[in-house]
Amino acid sequence: MTYRRLPWRLRVALVTLPAAAAVFTAIALAPGSSEEVADPAPLAAETRCLPIDPVSSIDDLNRLVTGVRGGSEFQGADVGADVTLQDGRRLWVFGDTLRSPDFDGQRFVRNSMLVFRDRCADVVLPADRGALIPDRDDGVGYWPMSIAKVTRTGYDLVGVAVQRVKSADRPDGAFAFANLGPAIALFVVPRGQTPQLLSVTDIGKDQPGTKRPTWGAASTVADGWVYLYGTANPEKDLVFGYSLRVARVRPDDIADASRWRYWDGRSWQKSASRAKVLIPAEGGVSQTLSVFEQGGRWYAVSKRDEFLGTDLVIWSAPSPTGPFTAGPAVASIPSEKSGTLRYMPLAHPDLLPEKGTVVVSYSQNDTDAGKIQDDPFLYRPRFLRAKLPH
């Protein structure tokens, strides 16, 4: 499904009005605009509570992902990027998600969402029981990379940076899909209520490959800006990592790529092609990573050299533009010859915080899709605590 976007402020008004009649009245009376006005994105129809125990430690987190069977709506997934909402709930987005054979709906989707509260993990389902960010009409889907939010009175505006993917028919590792470029999905989350999709905006034309940066591979909000980090691989022999660059934009303008500005080493300017490499591809980061600020320092958390690497590394910098310096490996998370894949570590700075450390998750998968079908626990993130470099 392709959306021609309404301005997000109007779409917030539409999905937060208390009655459907008011929604349609608002559409009919909307002022003229140069943008084509479309129907609102389909509302999420339901959530379902998966009972969970309280989480107070890394061990609790790992017991949760390895011990809670889950419902038919959510069996296994990768990614696991999160934000904390103003009402205290924690919203997580996941990539390629498996559902059980008896699920009444699409069994494999490119993205999904859980909202954690008290003793529940609420699975957010759209009306058609497919992907929460629906595939385009041509079958291209949206795979989450990073998430950030801004707080408004009574609701949070949550931006999910996604990459457009095709040919991801099953979760079988690094070559399960082709990356066509990034997109931005916007959600509104009223306090205590179900997240609702506002819009999906493709950034740039479809272009397979990894040579140009995929913007939004990491994102964070700081000082009134959204910082969007882009990763790229030169597709050269023996270069397995990805380089890192950065753009920024005001939160209200995130879906308008013409408002993005790119750091060229001296200033923020309009040309993406002039963006400075902050971390080179040789010995570089994973395609998707985390960048965040803590205590006046900036940190990039990633696995060096993607799937074929072993080291979880934290780069640090005095500012969002660098210079980034790699610290020593803080953990070893190798893929294995047996087929187990460990990849895409992501940081969770406000999850179980302890000074000088950060909670990190990493995705786990297997090259044998049959193993995942038989045991979805093999296809869930794992957690560890990493020490931040000085």
Side-chain angles (χ1 to χ4, degrees), residues 79-118:
V79 189
D82 72 310
V83 291
T84 301
L85 303 171
Q86 63 178 275
D87 58 18
R89 294 179 297 164
R90 185 176 291 272
L91 185 154
W92 294 74
V93 289
F94 295 89
D96 295 340
T97 302
L98 287 177
R99 293 162 171 172
S100 67
D102 61 353
F103 177 69
D104 181 19
Q106 191 174 341
R107 282 206 55 217
F108 175 78
V109 290
R110 305 281 171 74
N111 56 79
S112 63
M113 179 181 289
L114 299 179
V115 181
F116 284 79
R117 58 179 174 89
D118 297 330

Side-chain angles (χ1 to χ4, degrees), residues 60-72:
D60 288 344
L61 283 169
N62 285 319
R63 276 193 292 270
L64 174 65
V65 297
T66 60
V68 175
R69 197 71 193 171
S72 61

